[in-house]
Amino acid sequence: MRRRAFLFGLGACAALPRAARATGGLDVGGGPVSFRAVRVLIASGAAIGAPVQLDGWHFSWRGRTYRGAFSLVDLSSGRRGLVNAIPLDAYLYGVMSREISPAWARPAQMAQAIVARTYALTKIRPERPYDLVASEASEVYGGIVAESVEGRDAVDATAGTILTYDDRPAKVAFSACCGGHTASAAGVWKTPYPYLDGVRDPYCANAPDATWTLALPQARVAQTFALGDLREIALRDVDATLRPRTIALGGSARSIEVPSETFRAQLGASVLFSTLIATARVDGPEVALAGRGRGHGVGLCQWGTRTMGAQGASPQEICTYYFPGVRFGQA
Ligand SMILES: [Zn+2]
């Protein structure tokens, strides 16, 4: 009966055969959920090797088993690509534990499942050879080995449920830790969405990367941006989400002002955890930075979701907190 807690009156979801959903198989009948499929690029280049189709609904590649079917495609880069075609919710089985810990509370799992499903749905591009990649560039996907009981439960319990705005799938996003205030899509992507304007987030204060410091060699920053010697760094035009829109860099060869997203991308997203940079200064041979959060910060904050779920918030409450104004619909 606990599954009934999250139906939103979506009778069609509840009517889908439970046993069939749990297989993730393509042979499920009876509802629109079953026929949604995504194509995930799981490898590219010369070393793809030879995947083996095991039966109608599974194949094996490099010792891992994947649901669905595979195809080898030609990519625009001229390389070969290995693409996994798979029902949407079966794909989500292989995403959940790669995005959040199975140990997190069930409402957090369910909120993540809804947002991951919505995200995937908005990325379907029939005109291209694939819709998603299996890495953080889309959502991290690992096939059956990545599945967990908790992740499958969250996908099944929210089967087909997505977030909508104006009766269309919402443009959702998520990242590890927003640092206390989610970012605005207008700031990060230069495209505003009313439900991605940034919200204050008191729930991720205990995240591992809630605050961070970083000391980079001055020469590294100077070389990255062709500055000569770096003499000065300053945060400019801090927006309502506390993120500087640009970083001013004064060097012996030239002085420039770069968007903070560019600054982070050029230095490496795994080096500079976020654009929520609170302080920056040249300190002798180093550039000393301090900031908060990890990831782009737009949309759902995974560590905040963890706390909200642990404190008893419902999946609905979590989703509408991070995406104010969205409604719930069906894929
Ligand atoms: Zn947060």
Side-chain angles (χ1 to χ4, degrees):
M1 286 301 289
R2 65 179 180 157
R3 293 177 189 283
R4 289 195 175 278
F6 197 70
L7 293 179
F8 300 114
L10 300 177
C13 290
L16 280 174
R18 171 71 179 83
R21 277 208 313 272
T23 68
L26 288 160
D27 54 341
V28 178
V33 176
S34 311
F35 299 105
R36 284 286 183 184
V38 291
R39 298 160 305 150
V40 189
L41 180 69
I42 56 177
S44 65
I48 288 176
V52 177
Q53 194 73 41
L54 300 175
D55 55 35
W57 318 119
H58 301 89
F59 70 93
S60 170
W61 179 67
R62 288 188 180 170
R64 287 186 177 187
T65 304
Y66 293 80
R67 298 178 189 269
F70 76 88
S71 60
L72 298 170
V73 301
D74 292 320
L75 305 175
S76 57
S77 61
R79 305 171 77 174
R80 294 281 277 169
L82 173 59
V83 172
N84 180 185
I86 181 171
L88 176 56
D89 277 17
Y91 157 74
L92 297 173
Y93 288 168
V95 167
M96 289 296 300
S97 77
R98 290 293 190 260
E99 287 292 346
I100 62 172
S101 167
W104 291 9
R106 191 166 188 252
Q109 304 281 337
M110 292 166 71
Q112 175 71 67
I114 293 168
V115 174
R117 180 182 296 110
T118 309
Y119 177 90
L121 195 62
T122 62
K123 297 298 177 183
I124 293 176
R125 300 284 187 276
E127 72 280 8
R128 293 179 47 181
Y130 60 90
D131 306 308
L132 300 148
V133 296
S135 71
E136 286 176 354
S138 298
E139 302 178 306
V140 185
Y141 166 71
I144 287 178
V145 74
E147 295 181 9
S148 66
V149 171
E150 295 83 358
R152 284 196 299 264
D153 168 71
V155 173
D156 289 348
T158 63
T161 302
I162 59 167
L163 302 179
T164 67
Y165 191 84
D166 278 347
D167 297 323
R168 291 202 295 268
K171 287 276 188 187
V172 298
F174 55 88
S175 62
C177 172
C178 74
H181 203 301
T182 65
S184 76
V188 175
W189 299 328
K190 314 309 171 199
T191 308
Y193 294 94
Y195 49 91
L196 290 178
D197 205 24
V199 297
R200 196 179 69 82
D201 183 3
Y203 300 108
C204 58
N206 295 326
D209 301 312
T211 63
W212 48 259
T213 59
L214 176 65
L216 288 172
Q218 180 268 124
R220 175 171 174 180
V221 180
Q223 286 168 9
T224 301
F225 297 97
L227 301 167
D229 291 324
L230 176 63
R231 293 172 176 167
E232 199 175 358
I233 181 169
L235 311 175
R236 293 277 162 78
D237 198 11
V238 176
D239 70 14
T241 78
L242 310 178
R243 290 162 173 84
R245 289 192 172 92
T246 60
I247 311 291
L249 299 164
S252 59
R254 64 174 188 151
S255 293
I256 59 172
E257 203 165 313
V258 296
S260 52
E261 286 76 27
T262 305
F263 185 68
R264 179 172 181 237
Q266 292 281 309
L267 291 173
S270 61
V271 174
L272 181 59
F273 287 172
S274 76
T275 59
L276 210 174
I277 305 167
T279 63
R281 61 190 168 85
V282 178
D283 185 9
E286 293 184 333
V287 178
L289 300 155
R292 302 206 304 270
R294 184 162 192 160
H296 54 64
V298 180
L300 182 135
C301 169
Q302 290 172 315
W303 277 92
T305 295
R306 175 181 186 260
T307 302
M308 289 187 78
Q311 291 179 350
S314 69
Q316 300 96 312
E317 289 167 336
I318 295 171
C319 290
T320 53
Y321 186 83
Y322 289 109
F323 305 100
V326 296
R327 301 171 69 100
F328 294 86
Q330 203 173 352

